[in-house]
Amino acid sequence: MKNESIRGLMSRIPGFLKKYAPVLVIGLVGVLLLLWPKKDPDRTEHPLSAAQAPAQSLLETEQRLAALLSRIDGAGEVQLMLSLRTGTETVYQTDTKRSSGDSGDTQEITTVLYAQSGTGKAPLIRKTEYPVYLGAVVVCTGADSAQVRLAIVEAVSSLTGLGSDNITVVKMKRQ
């Protein structure tokens, strides 16, 4: 009796697999993605010196973004101005020594240095805080089209993190 129930169960497995194969595959892919190792954002695998850090000036950012926006269909000539809430900031790795003595507690903070190939020592960068934008003004010849204004607002928003209420798109006057 037990063997018959096992045989009956075994005979149903191919039909079950055929019916639920897509669900099983999606579930397996989901489990694999959950188990995939994640990169720790605070962990730096290759330390960078301050000269090597990916820093862009505000002017370079404006120029690159204006060039990109001018490629939007109907935008025409584009000029852009961004305002910053905070600029780029580099945070260096530090070691802290605390000691207690007769004169009270003291704390000594030193910046961690690493040896660069042939150039001596450089400070170890823990993280780089990128600029936080306050607002943007875009002046372009195609701003009379609502579709162009929307495309520009969406592009600027996605690249700067600004909300649409902090982005102004106006028509450029003819010269």
Side-chain angles (χ1 to χ4, degrees):
M1 181 123 177
K2 204 173 197 183
N3 286 339
E4 290 176 16
S5 64
I6 291 174
R7 284 187 198 145
L9 182 62
M10 295 297 279
S11 67
R12 289 189 225 154
I13 288 177
F16 176 82
L17 289 176
K18 186 175 182 181
K19 184 176 181 181
Y20 293 104
V23 174
L24 293 173
V25 169
I26 290 172
L28 181 62
V29 169
V31 169
L32 288 174
L33 287 174
L34 287 173
L35 296 175
W36 195 273
K38 293 182 177 84
K39 187 174 182 180
D40 186 3
D42 287 340
R43 191 172 140 224
T44 306
E45 292 185 19
H46 301 291
L48 298 172
S49 69
Q52 296 170 324
Q56 257 183 281
S57 73
L58 181 60
L59 181 60
E60 289 172 354
T61 303
E62 288 175 344
Q63 289 171 345
R64 288 181 66 202
L65 188 51
L68 179 72
L69 294 175
S70 68
R71 299 192 66 179
I72 293 175
D73 186 31
E77 185 184 348
V78 175
Q79 291 183 348
L80 169 77
M81 178 180 262
L82 295 170
S83 61
L84 295 175
R85 183 179 310 267
T86 61
T88 304
E89 181 181 349
T90 303
V91 179
Y92 297 102
Q93 184 65 43
T94 58
D95 282 338
T96 305
K97 284 185 185 178
R98 293 188 177 106
S99 60
S100 298
D102 294 336
S103 61
D105 294 338
T106 59
Q107 181 174 329
E108 181 182 341
I109 299 173
T110 56
T111 301
V112 176
L113 301 175
Y114 73 97
Q116 285 185 309
S117 58
T119 60
K121 293 185 176 184
L124 182 65
I125 295 175
R126 185 168 153 236
K127 65 180 175 178
T128 302
E129 303 270 337
Y130 291 98
V132 176
Y133 296 98
L134 186 61
V137 176
V138 180
V139 181
C140 66
T141 55
D144 49 353
S145 165
Q147 186 175 11
V148 170
R149 284 194 312 271
L150 178 62
I152 288 174
V153 167
E154 287 176 345
V156 172
S157 177
S158 68
L159 291 172
T160 62
L162 289 170
S164 60
D165 58 330
N166 294 327
I167 302 168
T168 303
V169 180
V170 294
K171 182 155 178 66
M172 184 181 288
K173 71 176 182 177
R174 304 226 186 253
Q175 295 180 354

